[in-house]
Amino acid sequence: MSRCEERQAWTAERIRALGPSMDLATAAAVLGMSRSAAYKLARRDAFPTPLYRVGARYRVPTAPILAMLHLPDPAGPGPDAGDAGSVGDPP
């Protein structure tokens, strides 16, 4: 990542564009913490969102980061979400 990209604000669209997960350093940048603080928290199992160890690396799911930042999920439930449970129910 270039220095210009590092200084850009993390918008909801930019975070979603990272895909389903991100590396720990990127998650730290999104949350406004230093990389070293993020790794210390991860080692103590105290990172503020779930994360997964994949080999020697950490991966952080994008959805919990968005939820923590109170950013809505554009693919969330639609206006008919309340009717979804009634499909197949007897009359």
Side-chain angles (χ1 to χ4, degrees), residues 30-70:
V30 169
L31 296 175
M33 69 175 68
S34 72
R35 181 181 167 157
S36 62
Y39 277 93
K40 285 178 186 176
L41 290 170
R43 282 192 297 271
R44 290 188 302 191
D45 199 27
F47 195 75
T49 64
L51 53 87
Y52 302 95
R53 186 93 189 228
V54 181
R57 301 177 188 270
Y58 290 102
R59 297 297 297 175
V60 181
T62 303
I65 296 281
L66 291 167
M68 182 180 178
L69 296 173
H70 301 284

